[in-house]
Amino acid sequence: MGNDRTDGFVFCDSKMKYLSIYLSFFLGSYLWPFSVSADTPAKRPTTLIGLYPTGKSAPENPISPRLVFDYLSDPITRLGNEKVRFFVNSVQLKDWKLSWGLMDEQGNRVPMEKLEEMLSRNRPFRLYGSALYDGSLFKKPLEAWKNKSPSSAPPEGVFLSRTQQENLRPELLPMPAVGVSVKPTLPGTSFFTRWFRSPPRRFSAGDSNRPTNVVMILVDTLRADHTPPYGHPFVVAPHIDLLASLGWVFTRSYGASSSTRPSVGSIFTGLQPAAHGAVRHATQAAWLHLGVPLLAQAFQKAGFSTAGISSNAQITGQFGFDGGFQAYECPVWEKAVTPRAIRQLQTLSEPFFLYLHYNAPHAPYEPPPEWRGLYDHLTPSPEEDRYCAEITTDDRRIGLVLKELAKQGLLDRTLIWLVSDHGEEFWEHGWNGHGAKVFEETVRTVSIVADPLHLPMGVRCDQPVTHVDIFPTLTEWFGWKKPRYVQGISWLPILQGRETTEAAHRPLFLHHGGGLGPGAHESDKEAVLLDNQKLIWWTQKNEWELYDLHLDPGEKQNQWRPGLEIQPLESLLKKHLEECRIIGMEYTLPNEAGKSVELRPAEIENLKAGGYLQGK
Ligand SMILES: [Zn+2]
């Protein structure tokens, strides 16, 4: 199955596993099976200690300007008589060298070996950390510039500005630990926020009744292979890397489509676009069927507080995406998503489900001024350079959300799911963009699940997974009843390390719905991917494409010829579409007939800015 567990934790044996699953259902929705197992607590972290940046960056020396950032935790105390353990090497960031140490009350650095001695004095202490950027960002621009224009001066932006250097800093270093407790400070929480917030529920480290909150962060148009955990050589994204280090990276994650509305619809419903109804992204005539059960509704029904914030107007309430959210803000400005998310984290009562949707790095690629020029001349095109800079921008926003989770003491009881809705093409098939084809560059997505107190850390899983799996996975995770129709599978067996033939060799389906009107469009496509074979059907033209991803990963050689035997892929695809049709009919309510979505001015402006509507 390709799981490559690097944390070295030992799982409970299978008998304990089943016992723990049983207990978890018995105890209700707050517990994850593994948290009940009897033989693992000593080997698993029970808390995450946040270390926050302190002071400014310091270039190590002016000739080789490697950046060094310092970090410090809040005061730490021993928890009862438990043996204290820090998981020092479990967090690793690509291009960064991390080091850790102890600090006494007077601010003196103390070697890690002195831990027991310090604990015996029963005084609070702190952890300090340091992060040294050792990546290629300083070296490559010069090489790229030399190759491109040896006679001219270095283009502006080749060297990082002071602000850019400062902004590269990881916002948080978490240290997994056992047997300690840390008192989070709450700077920035105003008196009024505290006064009006729901009664805080605070749980100590190791408390098995801690709730599990869920924060789902969707980064629009984030192409998986442009992030460090998926192998990009130089894009700096320490917080995405941090989540990968704390959790599971699904290396073969597929979107349901290559456009926002159909894909997010599949995340929210566990259904393929042809079943949930939001089949097109550029029309006002495609929405989630009014009868479809939604993910946020499942959370709400289970007693979670629910909130959603999105800067992409494709997923407004108008199109049916706000169901189950007690608070849903869409569209908001891109730069408003993080401050609003932080406000929600300060006020939401637990347990909660928070959905964040960042529209960048969606076109037009316009990184904020402080990030412009970060990767100039490093990729084959200026568009891709700016796209990469937007990824680093988003990464910092994600970092601020993670930091707030830590500061609120929520990091160790929150499952974080980072996902993208689709990728982006940079002329691999003659075009720049997404939402028209179903080739790998636009349908491969990021999917990283982090909950280090309940799941092993640093796992890379190469099982093929898809958007429609997210709903059933969360449903089984919390022990809820599944909706009547779900077209994905739960990843629970995968997360438990059980190999399943069903998961490894199942067909995945991909969709594209084009056009501005309500009906079919000549560019409409449906595709099936089974193992390495991808069959694409142009449904209106009745044309076919067939690719072998193993022999032809760039999908350049269409193997389809008239008379070519394409069963059983063709019958899998047609059976699937018939299933979608039946589910879609089931969930279509009578009051949908003649429905037309009326866009509000803010939505029109947002959609125009994203290139969805004519006029830009
Ligand atoms: Zn999108």
Side-chain angles (χ1 to χ4, degrees), residues 218 220-221 259-261 312 357 359 362 421-422 434 612:
L218 188 144
D220 209 294
T221 320
S259 49
T260 312
R261 209 185 308 167
N312 188 325
H357 188 131
N359 199 39
H362 194 289
D421 54 349
H422 51 78
H434 62 266
Y612 296 114

Side-chain angles (χ1 to χ4, degrees), residues 489-611:
I489 61 164
S490 163
W491 299 352
L492 206 66
I494 302 173
L495 294 167
Q496 290 173 342
R498 284 190 275 138
E499 213 166 321
T500 65
T501 317
E502 184 201 9
H505 303 288
R506 64 177 165 139
L508 302 186
F509 298 98
L510 306 163
H511 162 92
H512 165 67
L516 299 170
H521 186 260
E522 58 173 7
S523 70
D524 286 358
K525 293 172 203 72
E526 301 287 351
V528 57
L529 173 67
L530 182 63
D531 299 329
N532 289 317
Q533 299 287 309
K534 188 191 277 186
L535 180 70
I536 303 170
W537 180 28
W538 293 63
T539 55
Q540 298 310 303
K541 296 181 180 177
N542 196 27
E543 290 177 2
W544 299 86
E545 293 174 49
L546 179 68
Y547 298 95
D548 185 318
L549 298 183
H550 184 65
L551 300 173
D552 176 25
E555 296 165 288
K556 305 288 187 195
Q557 308 292 328
N558 178 9
Q559 296 177 352
W560 189 87
R561 299 282 177 276
L564 183 76
E565 183 56 61
I566 49 174
Q567 297 285 358
L569 287 176
E570 183 183 345
S571 59
L572 273 173
L573 185 56
K574 290 189 170 166
K575 198 173 142 219
H576 159 75
L577 291 172
E578 178 58 13
E579 179 187 287
C580 288
R581 192 186 63 80
I582 292 167
I583 297 171
M585 297 244 302
E586 180 92 6
Y587 285 138
T588 305
L589 298 189
N591 50 344
E592 284 185 50
K595 179 178 160 170
S596 174
V597 171
E598 293 292 327
L599 297 177
R600 295 170 296 177
E603 290 162 0
I604 292 169
E605 195 185 340
N606 180 289
L607 292 170
K608 274 185 183 172

Side-chain angles (χ1 to χ4, degrees), residues 349-538:
S349 59
E350 296 183 73
F352 59 77
F353 169 57
L354 177 63
Y355 174 77
L356 306 177
H357 188 131
Y358 288 99
N359 199 39
H362 194 289
Y365 315 123
E366 289 171 352
E370 65 268 31
W371 290 110
R372 280 180 205 148
L374 192 62
Y375 301 109
D376 276 7
H377 309 281
L378 284 181
T379 79
S381 71
E383 288 81 2
E384 197 172 341
D385 288 345
R386 295 200 303 275
Y387 172 84
C388 290
E390 288 223 57
I391 293 173
T392 301
T393 310
D394 267 332
D395 179 79
R396 183 162 174 79
R397 292 169 177 148
I398 292 168
L400 293 170
V401 172
L402 296 181
K403 184 162 82 173
E404 188 63 25
L405 277 165
K407 291 214 162 213
Q408 296 287 339
L410 295 165
L411 193 63
D412 65 0
R413 52 179 187 275
T414 300
L415 181 155
I416 300 161
W417 202 320
L418 178 72
V419 65
S420 58
D421 54 349
H422 51 78
E424 187 79 327
E425 176 182 341
F426 289 99
W427 293 279
E428 282 87 350
H429 291 90
W431 189 60
N432 170 219
H434 62 266
K437 304 167 193 170
V438 289
F439 293 122
E440 295 288 284
E441 58 271 10
T442 55
V443 292
R444 290 289 279 266
T445 53
V446 170
S447 198
I448 300 174
V449 184
D451 185 358
L453 270 51
H454 299 130
L455 293 172
M457 295 185 284
V459 181
R460 296 178 67 79
C461 176
D462 61 5
Q463 295 267 19
V465 295
T466 166
H467 278 156
V468 291
D469 299 336
I470 293 174
F471 196 156
T473 300
L474 286 168
T475 301
E476 195 176 358
W477 183 295
F478 288 106
W480 303 331
K481 195 166 165 271
K482 260 201 289 192
R484 184 164 172 206
Y485 299 108
V486 164
Q487 293 180 294
I489 61 164
S490 163
W491 299 352
L492 206 66
I494 302 173
L495 294 167
Q496 290 173 342
R498 284 190 275 138
E499 213 166 321
T500 65
T501 317
E502 184 201 9
H505 303 288
R506 64 177 165 139
L508 302 186
F509 298 98
L510 306 163
H511 162 92
H512 165 67
L516 299 170
H521 186 260
E522 58 173 7
S523 70
D524 286 358
K525 293 172 203 72
E526 301 287 351
V528 57
L529 173 67
L530 182 63
D531 299 329
N532 289 317
Q533 299 287 309
K534 188 191 277 186
L535 180 70
I536 303 170
W537 180 28
W538 293 63

Side-chain angles (χ1 to χ4, degrees), residues 94-358:
K94 186 175 168 288
D95 293 339
W96 295 85
K97 283 184 183 160
L98 307 181
S99 55
W100 312 84
L102 299 175
M103 188 172 273
D104 66 16
E105 285 173 289
Q106 286 74 42
N108 303 314
R109 294 186 173 191
V110 181
M112 273 287 188
E113 303 83 67
K114 298 268 182 182
L115 176 63
E116 273 306 320
E117 196 185 314
M118 289 190 62
L119 289 168
S120 63
R121 280 188 269 148
N122 245 351
R123 296 259 170 81
F125 61 96
R126 292 172 194 258
L127 282 177
Y128 71 84
S130 129
L132 182 148
Y133 176 71
D134 196 30
S136 52
L137 207 51
F138 292 114
K139 304 161 201 162
K140 282 206 172 175
L142 285 174
E143 284 164 21
W145 161 65
K146 274 183 209 156
N147 292 338
K148 283 197 173 183
S149 50
S151 57
S152 61
E156 199 181 336
V158 158
F159 297 106
L160 300 182
S161 70
R162 192 72 195 156
T163 314
Q164 286 174 335
Q165 292 182 20
E166 196 58 41
N167 282 346
L168 283 182
R169 174 191 69 198
E171 284 295 331
L172 173 77
L173 295 184
M175 168 73 85
V178 167
V180 289
S181 158
V182 68
K183 200 173 174 221
T185 51
L186 293 171
T189 308
S190 75
F191 169 78
F192 290 104
T193 313
R194 286 198 204 198
W195 184 261
F196 289 111
R197 70 187 294 161
S198 313
R201 294 176 59 187
R202 294 293 166 207
F203 299 83
S204 63
D207 184 345
S208 61
N209 284 315
R210 282 180 294 191
T212 299
N213 308 302
V214 176
V215 174
M216 183 178 286
I217 303 173
L218 188 144
V219 180
D220 209 294
T221 320
L222 181 57
R223 179 172 162 164
D225 63 5
H226 277 49
T227 65
Y230 290 81
H232 197 274
F234 56 79
V235 163
V236 181
H239 304 99
I240 294 176
D241 228 10
L242 181 64
L243 287 173
S245 194
L246 293 175
W248 287 57
V249 177
F250 287 87
T251 60
R252 290 183 65 202
S253 167
Y254 282 85
S257 82
S258 67
S259 49
T260 312
R261 209 185 308 167
S263 281
V264 179
S266 292
I267 294 172
F268 278 21
T269 64
L271 299 173
Q272 297 289 347
H276 64 56
V279 290
R280 299 172 198 284
H281 67 282
T283 173
Q284 284 154 247
W287 52 83
L288 295 175
H289 290 310
L290 300 181
V292 175
L294 298 164
L295 182 60
Q297 288 170 336
F299 277 105
Q300 191 183 27
K301 211 168 144 192
F304 282 60
S305 313
T306 53
I309 304 162
S310 166
S311 54
N312 188 325
Q314 285 284 353
I315 56 159
T316 55
Q318 303 273 64
F319 295 120
F321 286 85
D322 62 346
F325 286 106
Q326 288 154 339
Y328 193 72
E329 302 175 83
C330 175
V332 301
W333 292 106
E334 179 75 3
K335 60 184 178 188
V337 176
T338 307
R340 288 178 193 224
I342 287 171
R343 214 150 50 227
Q344 286 290 0
L345 291 174
Q346 291 170 353
T347 53
L348 277 172
S349 59
E350 296 183 73
F352 59 77
F353 169 57
L354 177 63
Y355 174 77
L356 306 177
H357 188 131
Y358 288 99

Side-chain angles (χ1 to χ4, degrees), residues 33-75:
F34 293 132
S35 66
V36 200
S37 60
D39 60 343
T40 53
K43 296 164 189 155
R44 303 184 66 76
T46 54
T47 192
L48 289 171
I49 298 166
L51 277 73
Y52 310 108
T54 167
K56 295 243 171 211
S57 73
E60 204 177 44
N61 72 61
I63 298 163
S64 168
R66 296 193 300 173
L67 296 177
V68 183
F69 300 102
D70 289 329
Y71 295 80
L72 200 59
S73 76
D74 288 326

